[in-house]
């Protein structure tokens, strides 16, 4: 069995706020997280080289023989063959950047200290295509490619559970239903891409599902929901309204009417009833989006870009999110009119003058998780405290209040 260690490079900051609470390898795209993809492809154990404050929850596991892989790279058949063929002290590079290498324990120790590994030999990739994530918007932009790959990986050689006769189905050969799923009186169209329905998923009456689509284990699709445009809903999500090209990481809810498109929602989030999120400017121009790298609104090359929301954040009933809004971790969003395009972590309201105190935020997270019979770990508490401290520079009102 291979010992895989995924490392976060400088691109990690381009995935904030999603990577405030997790390494890049824990991001979900397609059906699986990046870590789960590597585990499936290489039948391996995976650990991380990540931010120090995340390392207690996501520790590194070093053995005598280790494969170090850039966590922003998704596995493909060609790349996995190259990784398997690596000899000790060999590295795969792309334009001089490290993609993967094979190291022993002593070399790992040097790597962790940012010391040069003299014996390392690098080989440049030429025409081998890479499926790489460079920005958080790549998650929804490349979701269709990843979803189709994961569908083939998870369903090869297996037989789907049956759909009952109450459903209207097109493209049945491209629909895979895991045991325990319940789908009743709904429309499923897989002629445009595969539909994967995980264990214990419930799709209630009147839902309209258009592939490519993944509903992961334990998710619930509310009555009359409309989903299309390469969408993925991680385990134990609750979905309602109209959704297009959306990814939910896990345990998040949008259970009521309202539109969400070209969006990525973290874990343990909740979008209140009639929450709507714009994904297109009314002049059809390219959108600007908050960049944690530049710490400013930055012009993208996208015409369609919706909401990005960090873990444990939520919106009130009737919230109207501006085009390409970025919401940090543990933010409570409410207020009149369109929201600001950037809402920092631990904001209380969208008027940008009140902080959600860390003690109250942790209490909220505990209550949210308790509803699903889960507990907020000590490691998770420490992560939230660290994020609260690091994100204070974005809560400009705190500086004004101290004057």
């Amino acid at each position: 069995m291979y010992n895989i260690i995924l490392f976060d490079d400088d691109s990690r900051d381009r995935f904030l706020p999603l990577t405030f609470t997790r390494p890049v390898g824990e991001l979900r795209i397609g059906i699986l997280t990046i870590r789960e993809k590597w585990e499936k492809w290489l039948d391996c154990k995976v650990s991380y080289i990540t931010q120090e404050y995340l390392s207690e929850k996501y520790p590194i596991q070093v053995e005598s023989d280790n494969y170090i892989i850039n966590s922003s790279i998704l596995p493909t058949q060609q790349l996995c063959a190259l990784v398997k063929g690596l000899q000790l002290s060999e590295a795969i590079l792309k334009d001089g950047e490290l993609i993967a290498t094979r190291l022993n324990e002593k070399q790992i120790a040097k790597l962790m200290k940012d010391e040069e590994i003299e014996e390392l030999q690098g080989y440049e990739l030429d025409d081998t295509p890479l499926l790489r994530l460079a920005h958080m918007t790549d998650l929804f932009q490349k979701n269709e490619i990843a979803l189709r790959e994961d569908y083939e990986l998870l369903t090869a050689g297996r037989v789907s559970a049956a759909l009952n006769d109450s459903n209207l189905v097109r493209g049945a050969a491209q629909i895979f239903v895991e045991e325990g799923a319940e789908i009743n009186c709904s429309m499923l169209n897989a002629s445009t891409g595969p539909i994967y329905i995980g264990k214990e998923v419930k799709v209630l009456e009147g839902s309209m599902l258009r592939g490519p689509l993944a509903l992961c284990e334990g998710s619930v699709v509310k009555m009359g929901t409309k989903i299309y445009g390469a969408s993925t809903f991680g385990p134990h999500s609750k979905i309602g309204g109209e959704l297009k090209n959306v990814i939910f990481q896990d345990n998040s809810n949008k259970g009521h009417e309202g539109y969400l498109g070209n969006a990525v929602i973290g874990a343990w989030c909740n979008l209140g009833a009639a929450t709507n999120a714009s994904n297109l400017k009314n002049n059809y121009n390219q959108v600007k989006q908050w960049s944690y790298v530049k710490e400013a609104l930055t012009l993208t090359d996208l015409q369609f870009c919706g909401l990005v929301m960090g873990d444990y954040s939520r919106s009130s009933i009737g919230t109207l999110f501006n085009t390409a809004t970025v919401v940090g971790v543990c933010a409570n969003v409410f207020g009149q009119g369109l929201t600001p395009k950037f809402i920092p972590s631990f904001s209380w309201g969208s008027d940008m003058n009140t902080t959600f105190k860390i003690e109250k935020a942790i209490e909220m997270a505990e209550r949210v998780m308790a509803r699903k019979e889960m507990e907020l770990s000590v490691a998770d508490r420490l992560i939230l405290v660290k994020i609260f401290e690091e994100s204070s520079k974005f809560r400009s009102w705190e500086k004004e209040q101290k004057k």
Side-chain angles (χ1 to χ4, degrees):
M1 179 180 285
Y2 300 93
N3 186 53
I4 304 295
I5 300 173
L6 297 179
F7 72 91
D8 290 350
D9 62 9
D10 293 341
S11 70
R12 177 255 180 188
D13 290 347
R14 297 198 290 273
F15 294 97
L16 294 172
L18 302 169
T19 48
F20 271 136
T21 47
R22 58 175 64 78
V24 173
E26 289 295 306
L27 292 172
R28 186 176 304 278
I29 178 173
I31 302 174
L32 305 169
T33 65
I34 298 170
R35 168 183 58 80
E36 290 169 338
K37 296 178 199 297
W38 283 107
E39 288 174 342
K40 288 282 187 183
W41 274 95
L42 295 181
D43 186 25
C44 63
K45 298 183 297 182
V46 172
S47 63
Y48 293 102
I49 298 173
T50 186
Q51 303 296 304
E52 185 176 351
Y53 75 91
L54 294 174
S55 60
E56 181 178 345
K57 183 174 180 180
Y58 302 101
I60 188 172
Q61 178 65 44
V62 179
E63 297 183 358
S64 59
D65 191 0
N66 311 275
Y67 293 78
I68 317 300
I69 300 174
N70 191 315
S71 58
S72 67
I73 307 294
L74 308 189
T76 62
Q77 188 171 2
Q78 283 180 289
L79 181 57
C80 285
L82 291 173
V83 169
K84 289 178 181 180
L86 280 171
Q87 301 299 310
L88 277 171
S89 302
E90 286 186 342
I92 300 169
L93 308 175
K94 183 69 172 179
D95 299 326
E97 189 172 1
L98 180 62
I99 302 302
T101 185
R102 184 178 176 182
L103 304 176
N104 59 32
E105 288 178 274
K106 291 183 179 179
Q107 292 170 319
I108 291 279
K110 286 186 176 182
L111 180 69
M112 298 294 286
K113 295 177 183 178
D114 289 329
E115 295 179 3
E116 184 179 353
I117 304 173
E118 297 86 355
E119 62 272 31
L120 195 64
Q121 295 182 330
Y123 298 91
E124 274 282 340
L125 284 178
D126 295 324
D127 299 327
T128 302
L130 289 178
L131 184 52
R132 182 168 195 172
L133 305 178
H135 190 271
M136 61 184 169
T137 57
D138 283 347
L139 292 168
F140 63 77
Q141 285 188 287
K142 298 181 179 180
N143 196 43
E144 179 169 351
I145 298 171
L147 204 156
R148 290 178 183 273
E149 290 279 345
D150 284 353
Y151 183 88
E152 294 298 324
L153 181 66
L154 292 174
T155 64
R158 301 177 61 211
V159 177
S160 170
L163 287 165
N164 66 50
D165 293 338
S166 71
N167 298 290
L168 179 61
V169 177
R170 186 178 180 194
Q174 281 284 88
I175 298 173
F176 193 94
V177 182
E178 299 282 5
E179 293 295 333
E182 298 179 19
I183 307 101
N184 292 301
C185 304
S186 294
M187 298 171 61
L188 293 85
N189 180 6
S191 66
T192 52
I195 296 176
Y196 176 84
I197 298 176
K199 294 179 181 179
E200 308 301 327
V201 166
K202 292 185 179 179
V203 179
L204 304 186
E205 295 84 350
S207 295
M208 292 180 280
L209 312 181
R210 181 183 175 93
L213 169 65
L215 301 171
C216 297
E217 181 174 352
S219 294
V220 176
V221 179
K222 303 289 286 291
M223 294 176 66
T225 300
K226 302 176 284 291
I227 305 174
Y228 52 100
S231 292
T232 297
F233 301 93
H236 309 290
S237 299
K238 187 176 291 185
I239 311 127
E242 181 180 359
L243 305 101
K244 173 192 175 185
N245 193 201
V246 171
I247 296 178
F248 281 29
Q249 294 301 309
D250 61 81
N251 289 292
S252 287
N253 300 333
K254 181 196 173 298
H256 304 284
E257 292 299 324
Y259 177 76
L260 184 65
N262 307 101
V264 185
I265 307 298
W268 302 105
C269 297
N270 187 75
L271 301 182
T275 290
N276 284 277
S278 170
N279 65 338
L280 175 67
K281 294 180 67 174
N282 58 10
N283 61 6
Y284 292 81
N285 281 346
Q286 293 174 329
V287 300
K288 289 184 177 181
Q289 186 183 51
W290 175 263
S291 165
Y292 278 92
V293 175
K294 297 182 179 179
E295 297 187 1
L297 289 174
T298 305
L299 187 65
T300 72
D301 60 355
L302 302 177
Q303 187 178 46
F304 290 91
C305 185
L307 174 66
V308 174
M309 177 177 277
D311 291 5
Y312 304 106
S313 289
R314 50 225 319 103
S315 68
S316 70
I317 291 174
T319 300
L320 301 175
F321 283 106
N322 215 323
T323 311
T325 296
V326 174
V327 179
V329 173
C330 282
N332 269 273
V333 184
F334 57 88
Q336 299 297 313
L338 288 170
T339 64
K341 288 178 71 70
F342 172 56
I343 299 176
S345 297
F346 298 92
S347 297
W348 183 266
S350 51
D351 54 4
M352 309 290 276
N353 62 16
T354 306
T355 300
F356 191 13
K357 301 300 184 183
I358 183 62
E359 300 83 2
K360 296 295 184 182
I362 289 175
E363 287 178 12
M364 179 207 69
E366 289 174 334
R367 287 195 296 270
V368 169
M369 294 182 71
R371 292 183 64 190
K372 296 191 178 182
E373 299 181 348
M374 297 178 68
E375 293 184 0
L376 189 72
S377 69
V378 173
D380 283 323
R381 288 185 177 88
L382 293 174
I383 288 170
L384 290 179
V385 170
K386 180 66 174 179
I387 297 168
F388 183 80
E389 294 170 352
E390 285 200 350
S391 61
S392 64
K393 65 180 181 179
F394 300 115
R395 297 189 293 274
S396 57
W397 61 89
E398 293 181 349
K399 300 172 186 176
E400 295 298 322
Q401 291 167 358
K402 289 179 181 178
K403 290 181 180 179

